[in-house]
Amino acid sequence: MNQALPLIRRTLVYGALSLAAFLSVFPFLWMVIGATNLSADITKGRVMPGSALWTNIQNFAAQVDLPLVLWNSTWVAVVGTALTLLVSSMAGYAFEMFQSKFRERLFGSLLLMLSIPFAALMIPLFVMMSKAGLMNSYTAIIAPGVASIFIIFYFRQATKAFPGELRDAARIDGLKEWQIFWYIYMPVMRPTYAAATIIVFMANWNAYLWPLIVLQTNDMKTITLVVSSLASAYVPDFGVVMVGAIVATLPVVIVFFVLQRRFVEGLLGSVK
């Protein structure tokens, strides 16, 4: 009986993990299967692959300027991610490396701002962007998220594991602070940057509410807004919507799998 307990426990654990994995993957499988069916079949809840994939792809291509939409999303996601990582990592580095009697108070104030919902900030941001003449521009989308409080917090916590001896040795060798950050800190913190890249890229790529408010012309819209407009049509074609959802999902999946190993290391706080 005692020998059977480990087997039973292992079976229960693997069963629970398999169920959790299935529930996590099922929405994506449903999306892929739905892309092969007609809208009427999707409405009926059909869970078997159909033969309408090519038709749905053709209809999607006819309704959406895919190269333009993907370029818009890629520009916002890539530029926004690069600027956010640079500015937020510099802030996290400074908060941890430089001593000040006001440091913890300022950092605590930043963390307190995380409790403010974005809905409370939309109107002030809209007024600011409007007065600055930045409406219907990618700058208006990217600028509010460049100094991400969460990413600053994340980099500060990761910087606690940064070897102080490297910084001291670099200072003895005559390197300036920006050189230490650029040539030593950034290469050493690669896993942290990889994990932050996935988080920020996903947030920028999937951004919906703020781009919906700021962007006012169709030629500026991102893939998220386009798929949403397809789904909110008077008579939505769910097969076309599923194709659009797959197109919108693939870049995030690719980025995740490319940086997967570094992502795990970054979350564990690994510094090499």
Side-chain angles (χ1 to χ4, degrees):
M1 182 66 180
N2 293 334
Q3 296 179 350
L5 285 177
L7 179 61
I8 296 174
R9 188 180 298 110
R10 191 179 302 112
T11 302
L12 291 176
V13 169
Y14 280 114
L17 291 176
S18 299
L19 178 61
F22 174 77
L23 293 176
S24 301
V25 175
F26 180 75
F28 184 78
L29 293 177
W30 171 260
M31 180 175 63
V32 174
I33 293 173
T36 67
N37 287 303
L38 296 174
S39 183
D41 295 327
I42 297 173
T43 304
K44 293 177 182 177
R46 175 173 174 152
V47 294
M48 298 298 294
S51 57
L53 176 61
W54 182 243
T55 301
N56 291 332
I57 292 175
Q58 287 180 319
N59 292 337
F60 178 76
Q63 298 178 44
V64 177
D65 188 349
L66 188 57
L68 176 62
V69 170
L70 288 179
W71 167 254
N72 294 342
S73 294
T74 302
W75 175 264
V76 170
V78 172
V79 175
T81 300
L83 291 176
T84 301
L85 292 181
L86 179 61
V87 173
S88 298
S89 64
M90 289 175 64
Y93 174 87
F95 268 115
E96 184 60 28
M97 291 297 186
F98 297 103
Q99 300 293 329
S100 171
K101 64 179 181 179
F102 299 109
R103 182 182 66 173
E104 297 304 326
R105 294 180 182 179
L106 178 59
F107 191 70
S109 300
L110 286 177
L111 294 182
L112 185 62
M113 291 175 64
L114 283 174
S115 63
I116 302 176
F118 182 73
L121 302 175
M122 285 191 302
I123 295 177
L125 280 175
F126 179 85
V127 174
M128 288 172 58
M129 296 302 167
S130 179
K131 290 185 176 181
L134 296 176
M135 294 299 293
N136 198 40
S137 69
Y138 298 137
T139 303
I141 300 176
I142 296 171
V146 167
S148 170
I149 299 175
F150 173 76
I151 300 301
I152 292 173
F153 168 77
Y154 176 69
F155 269 100
R156 186 189 179 184
Q157 294 304 112
T159 304
K160 294 181 184 295
F162 180 76
E165 298 82 2
L166 289 178
R167 185 169 179 248
D168 295 337
R171 283 181 169 178
I172 293 173
D173 290 339
L175 269 68
K176 297 180 180 179
E177 202 64 42
W178 72 267
Q179 293 174 316
I180 296 174
F181 176 83
W182 190 265
Y183 295 112
I184 298 178
Y185 177 82
M186 292 182 71
V188 170
M189 303 297 288
R190 281 195 303 268
T192 304
Y193 276 95
T197 297
I198 294 177
I199 296 171
V200 178
F201 182 88
M202 186 181 301
N204 286 329
W205 184 272
N206 293 331
Y208 172 73
L209 184 57
W210 182 239
L212 179 65
I213 295 172
V214 173
L215 300 180
Q216 301 171 343
T217 57
N218 291 329
D219 61 327
M220 299 286 288
K221 290 187 176 180
T222 60
I223 185 68
T224 308
L225 299 181
V226 169
V227 173
S228 175
S229 65
L230 292 175
S232 59
Y234 185 74
V235 182
D237 188 333
F238 292 111
V240 174
V241 173
M242 294 297 180
V243 172
I246 292 174
V247 173
T249 304
L250 283 178
V252 177
V253 173
I254 293 171
V255 170
F256 176 79
F257 279 109
V258 169
L259 300 175
Q260 177 182 350
R261 181 164 166 261
R262 295 288 186 183
F263 177 72
V264 175
E265 293 177 358
L267 290 182
L268 294 176
S270 300
V271 176
K272 296 183 179 179

